[in-house]
Amino acid sequence: MDRDQSEEDSMVDLSFEAESPVMPPDELLEGLPSYDWLLQGHGRQVFFPPLEPLGRSPEPACWSSVLECSRVPVVTEEVAREALLSFVNSHCCYSRAAAGNLIIQELRQQTLCRYRLETFSESRVSEWTFQPVTNHSVDGPQRGTSPRLWDMKVQVPPMFQEDTRKFQVPHSSLVKECHKCHGRGRYKCSGCHGAGMVRCSSCSGTKRKAKQPRRCHMCSGSGRRRKNSLFEFVSPHHLHCPGELLAKARGENLFRDENATVYPIVDFPLQDISLASQRGIEEHSAMLASRARILQQRQTIELIPITEVHYWYQGKTSVYYIYGTDHQVYVADYPERYCCGCTIL
């Protein structure tokens, strides 16, 4: 197929030019009219959410009546042994005989409080992307003023579930000279070091390209990111059960407060829980205020039962723990363990 003269001229001119960067300089990425934005490099624009009015503070809770209505079942010796046997059955290298023959000496029961604060927030980010201009129409400023990012109406998803959505800002497209090949449609190939030429992948040889929001690494190109932030606190204790297990333990719900914004818990019988509530709300507010809009908050207090089981087996005393309302077991040093040739995947 014959090559036209303009292509040959373009190829000769480009044979002495290095390949241009993939991203254009920031000065080519002007802000859209009527937008509040902060340019942070690589064409990324962060939009600050509008301030939301605070709601009214709720009435103080009557903690004495709340605590009276809550009853955590007592762990008996029979329940303690059944929980250990169930745990042993799930581990092929643990001896069932030891669990059945050990002598339970003492059950020390304690109830911990776990405070959780969940904040469901939304952030909006706009970034430029580029695509070749062919014969399709371009939705640019000539068709109207682009709406502010926070003015775009989008259906709210189920609360406290991660979600990303992608939208193109109306009337935001611009046509500019391709920054990679400088409008020639071709550039020097970095792979062949100038031995041959390849068609410009940025504008597909059209010499011009439309400028549109680029896919964001924070929101996977959605332009809209909803995130669930979590703050957790377990009341102090002197037990040797790992904290990460207690954080995941199943508990009995004692208190639940869900609203657009929640207020710190006051006058709870355990001061550490009240202080944790205040600290969690302050941390989420400071972390999200400048870059996200808080859609919903939920704070809960759960009772986590934990029993320290002291037992005797073959002349030695030791302990294991039963925690959570579903009687999970933690044992640091089980008396009889052996290798059965199993493979852990």
Side-chain angles (χ1 to χ4, degrees), residues 22-274:
V22 175
M23 281 299 300
D26 286 341
E27 55 267 21
L28 292 181
L29 306 177
E30 64 269 26
L32 297 174
S34 75
Y35 261 44
D36 302 325
W37 58 278
L38 174 66
L39 194 62
Q40 293 190 341
H42 302 294
R44 181 166 181 266
Q45 299 179 32
V46 179
F47 292 82
F48 301 111
L51 296 176
E52 299 288 344
L54 296 176
R56 296 179 57 186
S57 177
E59 295 294 328
C62 181
W63 296 116
S64 58
S65 61
V66 172
L67 291 171
E68 288 176 0
C69 295
S70 176
R71 293 291 183 269
V72 177
V74 175
V75 174
T76 63
E77 182 176 329
E78 181 181 1
V79 172
R81 191 178 300 276
E82 289 179 354
L84 180 60
L85 286 170
S86 177
F87 170 79
V88 168
N89 289 336
S90 65
H91 293 72
C92 63
C93 297
Y94 283 46
S95 170
R96 181 177 175 84
N101 296 328
L102 58 80
I103 299 175
I104 295 178
Q105 297 177 316
E106 184 181 6
L107 299 173
R108 298 179 183 176
Q109 303 193 46
Q110 184 175 349
T111 300
L112 308 179
C113 285
R114 179 177 60 204
Y115 171 81
R116 277 181 176 155
L117 171 66
E118 297 174 89
T119 299
F120 189 52
S121 63
E122 175 190 344
S123 60
R124 300 190 180 188
V125 177
S126 177
E127 293 190 346
W128 294 108
T129 189
F130 302 86
Q131 69 179 33
V133 174
T134 53
N135 293 326
H136 66 274
S137 59
V138 176
D139 182 18
Q142 71 279 4
R143 295 192 177 183
T145 302
S146 295
R148 293 175 182 267
L149 215 61
W150 286 101
D151 291 338
M152 296 177 64
K153 303 297 182 182
V154 180
Q155 183 179 1
V156 178
M159 291 294 175
F160 304 103
Q161 296 181 20
E162 296 284 347
D163 180 68
T164 56
R165 308 246 178 128
K166 178 181 179 181
F167 303 94
Q168 182 170 329
V169 179
H171 318 315
S172 63
S173 297
L174 301 171
V175 178
K176 286 184 170 292
E177 181 181 274
C178 176
H179 63 277
K180 191 169 184 179
C181 68
H182 304 290
R184 295 183 175 91
R186 283 169 171 73
Y187 62 90
K188 182 178 179 180
C189 177
S190 60
C192 66
H193 304 288
M197 293 294 167
V198 295
R199 184 173 298 274
C200 175
S201 60
S202 185
C203 69
S204 296
T206 63
K207 303 184 181 182
R208 300 182 72 80
K209 62 194 303 185
K211 188 169 83 169
Q212 296 175 329
R214 179 173 62 86
R215 183 173 296 273
C216 168
H217 69 279
M218 292 179 60
C219 63
S220 300
S222 68
R224 180 180 177 93
R225 185 184 186 188
R226 295 184 177 91
K227 183 178 180 181
N228 198 28
S229 302
L230 178 64
F231 175 91
E232 285 188 329
F233 173 81
V234 177
S235 58
H237 58 87
H238 301 288
L239 305 173
H240 297 289
C241 188
E244 59 269 20
L245 297 180
L246 298 178
K248 299 177 182 178
R250 184 175 299 178
E252 179 183 341
N253 186 65
L254 179 67
F255 171 78
R256 177 189 176 101
D257 176 26
E258 183 172 330
N259 214 321
T261 54
V262 297
Y263 287 81
I265 294 172
V266 295
D267 298 332
F268 191 75
L270 292 177
Q271 186 182 14
D272 290 317
I273 296 296
S274 296

